[in-house]
Amino acid sequence: MTIKPLADRVLVKNDKAETKTSSGIIIPEVAQEKTQTATVVATGPGTADEKITVKVGDRIMYDKYAGTQVKIDGEDHLILKMSDIIAIIEA
């Protein structure tokens, strides 16, 4: 399935949460903090008021409760508004 975001929306794939600490302790799924980082999969064209400032492949940080969750081919994705993206993560 292909999803093309409209207007100022961005489709992102959630990054996996760490399941083990650096010392080897396994963190149960219910105790894991919701990840707030993702990789951009697709972008809309933007609007006159809201330009798209991320590109496909960028790793981003977004507001904790932002977006609409969708499943694509069995994997979790989010559709975010450009204004919900708070940072681009540079390695």
Side-chain angles (χ1 to χ4, degrees):
M1 171 180 8
T2 302
I3 294 180
K4 175 72 175 150
L6 300 176
D8 65 337
R9 291 185 170 68
V10 178
L11 177 67
V12 298
K13 182 178 177 187
N14 296 328
D15 290 345
K16 299 284 183 197
E18 289 294 321
T19 58
K20 194 189 301 188
T21 65
S22 59
S23 60
I25 298 172
I26 296 175
I27 305 169
E29 204 167 306
V30 293
Q32 291 177 10
E33 188 135 339
K34 181 182 174 189
T35 181
Q36 295 173 346
T37 61
T39 302
V40 176
V41 176
T43 65
T47 65
D49 297 328
E50 187 76 44
K51 304 292 182 212
I52 300 296
T53 57
V54 296
K55 62 185 178 310
V56 173
D58 281 350
R59 286 196 61 232
I60 55 104
M61 191 179 298
Y62 58 90
D63 286 333
K64 188 168 189 165
Y65 299 106
T68 301
Q69 201 164 24
V70 294
K71 262 200 194 301
I72 302 172
D73 300 327
E75 295 192 43
D76 289 332
H77 289 70
L78 275 177
I79 297 177
L80 301 170
K81 285 188 153 206
M82 185 61 213
S83 60
D84 292 329
I85 296 174
I86 55 178
I88 296 174
I89 302 169
E90 295 180 350

